[in-house]
Amino acid sequence: MARKRLGDILIESGMISEEQLKKALEEQKKSKLKLGDHLLQTGYITEQQLIETLEFQLGIPHVRLFRYRLDPSLSSIVPEEVARRNMLIPIKKEGNRLTIAMVDPMDYFAIDELRMSTGFAIEPVIATRDEVQRAINRIYSMQDSVKELMENINSASDVEEAEVMDEDSPIVRLVNQMFEQATQLRASDIHIDPQDDGVRIRYRIDGMLRTERVLPRHMHGILTARLKIMANLNIAERRVPQDGRMQLRIAYKEYDIRVSVLPTVFGEKMVMRLLDLTNVMMEIDQLGLTRRNLVAFREIIRKPNGIFLLTGPTGSGKSTTLYAVLHHLNREDVNIITVEDPVEYQLEGINQVQVNSAIGMTFASSLRSILRQDPDIIMIGEMRDTETAEIGIRAALTGHQVLSTLHTNDAISSVIRMSDMGIEPFLIASSVNGVMAQRLVRRICKECRDEYPVNEHEQAIFAQRGVKVEKLWRGKGCAACNLTGYRGRAALHEIFSLDDTMRRMIAERAPASELRRHAMKNGMILLLDDGLIKVTQGITTMEEVLRVCATE
């Protein structure tokens, strides 16, 4: 096989230009990724385009592994470490030829390494990254660790600290494999759910929970003991909730993992939130705001004093947006102080304070001290009570820029919520610059996106807003999206900016319906309308938008 370079192949096929390749090669030096991975991550090409190009240009077959019957015995030929490091999987052995499915069939170093270590002639084929990861998990799965555990552990009383600390023990291998699988599937949370008939391990992927496997009931004790030790929690205490955190390096990435333990009738339920430390900072241009919303958003955060509020339920991406704003505002000549519970990401050049209610370090008490630290910008993790809100408003009125979050259903409701907390309407009117409500919807999978004619129900929703559409998009379901039709998430936004008329209406206690009417007259796009825009752009589906947004 002629050893062509990937960049040359992509230029020959017209996928990218020479200028794009030059720019990508410069950026690749900083990202330290392979060229193909960098091009995919930056969106120059899709994985399907890359596969089709290599298949056509090099004549390397493309296989769909989720339809392939894999032979577990081949795992003895290619070690798991080699398979995971090079993202490849052995799928067939014929005579002295070994067929290897690879994410990067142009990784000649990996092919040469396999040829020398196995003694076989290597026949590479192409497969998607997700399919290879799933195949690796199927062949080199948790089964060995589970089987070994079941042979050696018969009850929770068998838990010994030495065993859960031994890096070679089956429980340690099982937990490590669980974290590796979660990161490969892009899970944001891992749930360990003890039930009467077993222990369910569930992953939250793109906002939706799914059961990955069920372990025997008697393995619950040793599993929670191992996780508690990793998070520096008390393994002997099983009666009260506990919170901890740990840092792990998984597949060359650093993860900060928050751990929450809650006693239930069947034992301790554990939830672990995975935060990717290598993918923390987003620019505000990457938040998915429409052009009009982006202009309004920039206008609000540009103001040197006043409050900017983010609203939405738990898990709606508020923290990601807040950190993007902090990153945008972070300069050497400003003093930024945050008070958070918990501090999710540690930001360079920003002073972050961790709330600790057990010792009286609340949002309110922290804020009083922060105001004596000569801040320019203050970020309050959440306005939970009247005292915190009052201090935030006082800070805004005395020349500080304040960023915070509230739990409300839409942007306008934040005014009503603050009023319900006991804040005088004239203080809200004079301190708040703007509010942004946010929701997350699942993105249509790029690999299996397909057009379809609009049905009557969808047409009626668009017609109410004076929009006529003939076709929309949805995912058919493929291996890349685990047959769901969705991969990744996008944000919907609703931005409420306060002008002089709006401030007067708030001070005069105008009802929410009048505030909404005036805001829409001034160009505010409702969450539902922003969702419909993204439906017509092929980013998400009508079902997803209606799942997270209420229709009027």
Side-chain angles (χ1 to χ4, degrees):
M1 184 175 66
R3 298 201 167 188
K4 286 186 176 183
R5 293 186 302 179
L6 178 61
D8 296 333
I9 290 173
L10 292 172
I11 288 173
E12 281 175 27
S13 61
M15 284 290 149
I16 59 173
S17 65
E18 289 189 23
E19 291 76 19
Q20 287 176 319
L21 175 61
K22 187 178 177 182
K23 185 181 177 185
L25 288 169
E26 288 171 3
E27 293 170 346
Q28 180 207 1
K29 291 174 186 173
K30 298 176 188 174
S31 66
K32 296 180 181 176
L33 295 169
K34 290 181 180 179
L35 178 60
D37 290 337
H38 179 76
L39 290 169
L40 292 174
Q41 195 175 81
T42 51
Y44 283 107
I45 54 173
T46 66
E47 188 170 27
Q48 197 59 39
Q49 286 174 326
L50 178 61
I51 287 172
E52 287 172 2
T53 301
L54 293 177
E55 188 176 17
F56 178 73
Q57 294 281 340
L58 300 180
I60 301 174
H62 171 213
V63 297
R64 307 305 298 266
L65 290 181
F66 73 103
R67 293 178 182 153
Y68 218 92
R69 186 164 185 174
L70 299 176
D71 183 357
S73 67
L74 297 179
S75 62
S76 60
I77 299 174
V78 179
E80 181 179 359
E81 189 274 330
V82 173
R84 291 193 185 278
R85 172 162 44 87
N86 297 303
M87 287 307 298
L88 52 85
I89 192 80
I91 60 172
K92 190 166 62 175
K93 180 169 69 94
E94 289 179 339
N96 71 332
R97 304 191 74 80
L98 184 65
T99 304
I100 301 284
M102 305 179 71
V103 171
D104 180 8
M106 299 184 70
D107 187 347
Y108 302 119
F109 292 108
I111 292 171
D112 290 341
E113 179 188 352
L114 282 175
R115 187 164 48 243
M116 288 187 287
S117 63
T118 65
F120 286 94
I122 303 301
E123 193 79 42
V125 295
I126 313 170
T128 66
R129 179 173 293 275
D130 272 1
E131 288 188 31
V132 170
Q133 284 176 339
R134 286 196 183 90
I136 289 172
N137 288 332
R138 269 167 35 211
I139 287 190
Y140 312 96
S141 65
M142 300 181 190
Q143 293 300 336
D144 292 340
S145 302
V146 172
K147 187 178 178 183
E148 200 173 336
L149 269 174
M150 289 178 70
E151 289 171 355
N152 297 315
I153 297 171
N154 296 313
S155 68
S157 61
D158 290 326
V159 177
E160 293 182 11
E161 190 165 336
E163 186 166 8
V164 294
M165 292 294 284
D166 181 3
E167 292 299 317
D168 293 323
S169 71
I171 184 60
V172 172
R173 293 203 307 272
L174 174 67
V175 168
N176 291 345
Q177 288 163 356
M178 180 180 72
F179 280 121
E180 284 172 13
Q181 186 176 23
T183 56
Q184 287 163 3
L185 293 172
R186 300 171 296 103
S188 60
D189 302 84
I190 304 173
H191 289 238
I192 310 292
D193 290 338
Q195 300 293 319
D196 190 28
D197 58 346
V199 182
R200 285 193 299 169
I201 297 179
R202 296 193 292 169
Y203 297 152
R204 187 175 293 280
I205 301 167
D206 294 336
M208 308 297 278
L209 271 173
R210 84 166 194 229
T211 301
E212 195 59 33
R213 67 183 304 117
V214 180
L215 300 177
R217 182 77 180 85
H218 66 261
M219 286 176 57
H220 179 250
I222 193 166
L223 180 61
T224 54
R226 171 59 186 169
L227 291 166
K228 280 184 175 182
I229 283 176
M230 292 174 74
N232 293 315
L233 298 176
N234 183 354
I235 65 169
E237 181 57 77
R238 300 192 181 101
R239 300 164 301 168
V240 297
Q242 295 186 67
D243 292 301
R245 67 195 308 160
M246 61 179 103
Q247 280 203 351
L248 294 179
R249 186 172 177 81
I250 307 167
Y252 309 106
K253 282 187 174 184
E254 293 289 340
Y255 287 87
D256 188 50
I257 300 170
R258 296 209 318 256
V259 181
S260 174
V261 185
L262 180 72
T264 71
V265 291
F266 293 118
E268 291 175 300
K269 172 178 170 62
M270 299 188 79
V271 176
M272 288 153 286
R273 165 139 312 170
L274 281 65
L275 304 169
D276 182 355
L277 296 180
T278 59
N279 191 28
V280 178
M281 281 304 109
M282 291 181 75
E283 301 292 340
I284 58 174
D285 293 340
Q286 298 173 308
L287 294 174
L289 290 150
T290 57
R291 189 173 301 170
R292 187 192 295 181
N293 277 342
L294 184 59
V295 170
F297 182 67
R298 285 182 177 276
E299 190 63 36
I300 293 169
I301 64 173
R302 192 181 294 130
K303 294 179 180 178
N305 52 60
I307 296 177
F308 170 61
L309 289 171
L310 263 168
T311 77
T314 302
S316 59
K318 297 190 300 294
S319 295
T320 301
T321 302
L322 268 184
Y323 281 120
V325 174
L326 288 174
H327 181 57
H328 178 75
L329 297 173
N330 189 14
R331 303 188 308 273
E332 190 179 345
D333 60 344
V334 295
N335 178 21
I336 302 177
I337 305 180
T338 75
V339 52
E340 305 170 61
D341 182 24
V343 173
E344 292 191 357
Y345 296 113
Q346 293 169 7
L347 309 178
E348 189 177 348
I350 292 177
N351 309 284
Q352 294 171 272
V353 177
Q354 169 76 52
V355 167
N356 187 347
S357 302
I359 58 170
M361 187 87 162
T362 62
F363 277 109
S365 62
S366 302
L367 278 170
R368 288 194 197 92
S369 299
I370 284 171
L371 289 171
R372 295 192 288 271
Q373 290 282 320
D374 185 31
D376 297 297
I377 300 168
I378 300 168
M379 192 272 268
I380 306 168
E382 184 186 342
M383 286 191 176
R384 293 180 180 173
D385 52 57
T386 305
E387 192 178 6
T388 304
E390 283 177 344
I391 297 171
I393 285 175
R394 192 163 70 242
L397 293 173
T398 52
H400 302 90
Q401 186 173 6
V402 178
L403 314 172
S404 190
T405 69
L406 270 178
H407 287 285
T408 61
N409 288 330
D410 56 31
I412 301 285
S413 299
S414 58
V415 174
I416 311 302
R417 172 84 178 97
M418 291 179 80
S419 183
D420 290 344
M421 289 167 74
I423 308 299
E424 290 294 337
F426 74 91
L427 288 175
I428 301 170
S430 53
S431 62
V432 176
N433 291 329
V435 185
M436 182 163 86
Q438 184 168 307
R439 296 288 188 282
L440 291 179
V441 290
R442 292 182 291 172
R443 283 181 177 272
I444 298 172
C445 174
K446 290 180 182 176
E447 306 298 332
C448 61
R449 195 176 81 149
D450 193 32
E451 286 183 7
Y452 73 96
V454 181
N455 62 40
E456 287 183 16
H457 174 61
E458 291 166 335
Q459 192 66 264
I461 293 172
F462 279 108
Q464 285 178 0
R465 281 152 171 77
V467 179
K468 186 171 183 179
V469 289
E470 294 180 358
K471 61 182 181 182
L472 294 175
W473 292 264
R474 63 185 164 208
K476 292 187 292 185
C478 65
C481 59
N482 201 39
L483 304 177
T484 61
Y486 299 100
R487 181 176 166 85
R489 287 194 284 179
L492 310 183
H493 305 97
E494 177 179 291
I495 297 183
F496 169 45
S497 300
L498 276 70
D499 60 8
D500 291 339
T501 305
M502 184 66 75
R503 293 183 195 280
R504 190 183 70 251
M505 291 172 71
I506 291 171
E508 293 172 355
R509 300 177 186 267
S513 56
E514 286 185 27
L515 297 179
R516 184 175 291 105
R517 200 175 300 118
H518 179 74
M520 290 176 68
K521 190 177 173 183
N522 280 3
M524 183 179 85
I525 302 171
L526 296 177
L527 273 170
L528 180 60
D529 293 325
D530 192 50
L532 294 179
I533 290 169
K534 283 162 183 169
V535 169
T536 60
Q537 291 172 341
I539 295 171
T540 188
T541 62
M542 181 71 80
E543 292 82 6
E544 274 298 288
V545 172
L546 296 179
R547 181 175 67 85
V548 301
C549 298
T551 54
E552 289 83 11

